[in-house]
Amino acid sequence: MTGEDLVLTTAARAEQEQTVVSAATRMPAAVARREPGSAELLLDMLPDAFPWVRFLPEPDLHAFAVELVDTMRAADSIGNSASVALMLIAWQHTAEVYSDPELLAALTRDHGGDNGPVPDPRDVA
């Protein structure tokens, strides 16, 4: 049998884990909204939690911080953290691009206009 491994747990255990994740999400979000200077503290803490943010330009670091808090709160509200994982992976890939000068140059240079119509992917066999 192939495929993804499954984890068997009890409903009570799954609920406990969701409660912990929810608390871990809500507390920093509440602090960020209420405490003066908390945005700067969050920005100072991010490189410890996610070392790759050091490659992000300052405006992107701020955008990442806001999106992280907002996405974590939204994901917690529906009890599904998949969107947080996807967001973190996307930002990490962005940092990887900024960390490689050749890749960054290739992706940000002008490629010289329109390359014509894009074929409908449903027509490709």
Side-chain angles (χ1 to χ4, degrees), residues 62-94:
H62 287 263
F64 168 69
V66 169
E67 187 175 349
L68 177 62
V69 171
D70 289 348
T71 303
M72 288 178 70
R73 288 184 63 224
D76 177 56
S77 74
I78 60 171
N80 186 332
S81 61
S83 59
V84 177
L86 292 172
M87 188 252 348
L88 287 170
I89 291 166
W91 274 106
Q92 185 174 3
H93 289 316
T94 300

Side-chain angles (χ1 to χ4, degrees), residues 9-35:
T9 189
T10 65
R13 178 65 180 234
E15 187 176 328
Q16 287 173 345
E17 289 176 6
Q18 180 57 40
T19 299
V20 170
V21 170
S22 182
T25 297
R26 290 176 186 204
M27 298 214 22
V31 169
R33 286 193 313 270
R34 293 191 178 131
E35 291 298 318

Side-chain angles (χ1 to χ4, degrees), residues 45-57:
M45 291 173 20
L46 283 176
D48 291 332
F50 309 103
W52 46 262
V53 301
R54 288 179 171 84
F55 296 113
L56 294 174

